[in-house]
Amino acid sequence: MNRLLRVFSASVLTAVLLLSGCSSAGTGTSTSGSAAASAAAPTADEAVASPINGVLAGYSGEILSVKATDGKTYEFVVPDPSVFTTTDALNIGDDVQVTFTGTVNGTDTTQATVTKVEDKSASSQTVQTIVGTVTDATMNTMTIQATAGLITFDTGSAQIISPNGVLIGDTVYIDYIGTINGTDASKVVVTTVVDNDDNRQPVQTAVPTPTPVVTATPSPEPTLVPQADIPVTVTNEWLYALQDATIYRGNSIKYKKVGTLWKGQGITVIGRTDDGWTKVNQDGVIGFVVSTALTSNPPSTPTPTPTATPTPTPAPTPTATPVVYHNLIINYKDTDGNTMFKSYVANLAEGTAYSVSSPLNMGSTPSQATVAGTMGNQDITVNVIYTPFYYSSGSGNGTGSIGDGASVGIGSGASVGS
């Protein structure tokens, strides 16, 4: 049973425009918005239409945020949904062209009236994840050391999930929308930053006075098609995850997240939709996963590299010792004994070293982050226990950490501009 302590909710723009923090990415190939920002003011007899091209950064209430190709962020008031032109749902990270009349002074759009918002992105988009070590962090940016090198992300509108605050040297997982070109992440929108490094234990010099818990008013969920009304073709299969994937309540990333499927993890399939989604059952939780993230091929079991037999000199050829295999079984359970993830099973030869990373869960901490050792002369069974943790919101600034021992999240109705 998964425990999710935080859910990132986004505002809803009717059936035409539904936005989520886990939306797909645009390519950011449109022309610079700086020329449009300096367009001449219309005369009294005519209204000159001017465009700004960029990436959709947010939509909350009637405020539309666009990160233009010149690096500036423009916020427009869009009270009329009929100005949107799109072939499918318009998502955060999509390439858009905002046409307006009036004037834009710098990033001041109070004298501009939006006449059209066009979706310039491809309809198929994917949420991706990158992992790295934090080398620098401010209130609005984060730099990590990844495989490709040092990459700086704009995290001003992202949800930050961390038990003790993100610190220099922590390993983080960044969910983003868009395409990273080498180490250039200027064309992506970061939705979530997860820090699972809880090995640092703060030294307590005194028992702090308990702070009263303030119960936040939950944000209203988007008005979407009920799960039971989503048409599916019934099936009964067992598939595996090609990559880490999010399980949603419905067949769209605009639905609430109800679970996570880790790479290589198996799951029961109970149906398929006509629009590329698969209905799954994860330990009694029903949801939908993008079909392209699943495969019928089970993950490969690592095969030990055979040791070359030395060429005998005068001595007779030694008889090869038969290789004996045993099972390595890792169970993932919570503190109540409930199964958190499907058990990891591998058949390994005696003497084979193994190292298996425990699946991540945003609401709890595994008793062993990595199960490692060497296969002996009998089966090995390991139980990894997930203990829930709790944290409260805080604030902080400055290079080196986000928050003062707390996590930072962007809730419904918030937008961030530059």
Side-chain angles (χ1 to χ4, degrees):
M1 178 180 63
N2 293 327
R3 291 187 173 92
L4 300 179
L5 299 184
R6 292 290 296 271
V7 177
F8 178 65
S9 58
S11 299
V12 180
L13 168 70
T14 71
V16 176
L17 183 64
L18 295 175
L19 300 178
S20 168
C22 297
S23 305
S24 308
T27 58
T29 58
S30 52
T31 58
S32 172
S34 60
S38 60
T43 66
D45 297 328
E46 63 177 350
V48 179
S50 302
I52 283 184
N53 296 281
V55 177
L56 183 64
Y59 188 91
S60 176
E62 297 180 350
I63 305 300
L64 178 76
S65 298
V66 177
K67 184 176 182 180
T69 53
D70 61 2
K72 298 179 181 178
T73 298
Y74 300 87
E75 293 188 349
F76 294 92
V77 177
V78 187
D80 182 8
S82 66
V83 302
F84 290 91
T85 301
T86 179
T87 57
D88 58 0
L90 186 61
N91 301 303
I92 294 176
D94 282 354
D95 288 337
V96 294
Q97 183 180 75
V98 179
T99 303
F100 64 91
T101 58
T103 59
V104 173
N105 296 317
T107 57
D108 180 7
T109 63
T110 56
Q111 302 301 316
T113 301
V114 175
T115 60
K116 184 186 290 186
V117 179
E118 295 182 81
D119 183 4
K120 298 293 186 178
S121 297
S123 59
S124 177
Q125 302 166 347
T126 306
V127 176
Q128 303 180 70
T129 302
I130 187 171
V131 62
T133 303
V134 178
T135 61
D136 189 29
T138 69
M139 288 300 294
N140 295 310
T141 64
M142 183 177 296
T143 301
I144 66 170
Q145 177 67 57
T147 302
L150 289 174
I151 305 177
T152 300
F153 294 90
D154 182 349
T155 56
S157 60
Q159 181 190 23
I160 310 296
I161 301 175
S162 173
N164 301 309
V166 180
L167 303 175
I168 302 300
D170 283 359
T171 298
V172 295
Y173 295 79
I174 297 179
D175 292 339
Y176 66 92
I177 303 162
T179 301
I180 300 174
N181 295 319
T183 59
D184 180 11
S186 62
K187 301 299 183 183
V188 307
V189 175
V190 177
T191 60
T192 310
V193 178
V194 180
D195 175 14
N196 288 302
D197 183 7
D198 58 353
N199 294 323
R200 291 187 180 88
Q201 299 296 329
V203 178
Q204 294 186 350
T205 56
V207 178
T209 302
T211 302
V213 177
V214 179
T215 303
T217 303
S219 302
E221 292 187 6
T223 303
L224 300 172
V225 177
Q227 186 183 80
D229 296 337
I230 299 173
V232 298
T233 300
V234 178
T235 183
N236 184 12
E237 303 174 73
W238 179 264
L239 299 181
Y240 301 88
L242 285 169
Q243 61 192 40
D244 293 349
T246 301
I247 303 175
Y248 297 93
R249 179 172 290 170
N251 58 333
S252 169
I253 59 177
K254 294 178 285 294
Y255 284 85
K256 178 182 177 182
K257 295 180 182 180
V258 296
T260 300
L261 189 62
W262 306 105
K263 181 178 180 181
Q265 183 180 355
I267 196 165
T268 300
V269 173
I270 58 179
R272 297 180 183 272
T273 69
D274 293 335
D275 56 353
W277 289 81
T278 298
K279 191 175 184 179
V280 298
N281 182 342
Q282 185 186 59
D283 297 329
V285 176
I286 307 299
F288 290 78
V289 177
V290 176
S291 299
T292 55
L294 301 174
T295 179
S296 59
N297 298 322
S300 59
T301 302
T303 303
T305 302
T307 302
T309 303
T311 303
T313 25
T317 303
T319 303
T321 302
V323 180
V324 181
Y325 289 82
H326 301 285
N327 290 325
L328 169 64
I329 304 172
I330 305 176
N331 302 313
Y332 305 100
K333 299 178 180 294
D334 62 15
T335 54
D336 296 326
N338 299 313
T339 298
M340 294 286 291
F341 303 97
K342 183 178 179 63
S343 297
Y344 174 93
V345 179
N347 191 244
L348 304 177
E350 292 183 2
T352 300
Y354 56 86
S355 178
V356 181
S357 298
S358 299
L360 303 177
N361 184 277
M362 294 182 184
S364 57
T365 303
S367 59
Q368 298 185 54
T370 301
V371 177
T374 302
M375 177 57 66
N377 58 2
Q378 60 183 357
D379 290 352
I380 297 176
T381 299
V382 179
N383 292 321
V384 177
I385 307 301
Y386 285 76
T387 303
F389 62 81
Y390 303 91
Y391 57 90
S392 59
S393 297
S395 64
N397 54 42
T399 301
S401 71
I402 297 180
D404 186 9
S407 62
V408 178
I410 303 297
S412 172
S415 64
V416 178
S418 62

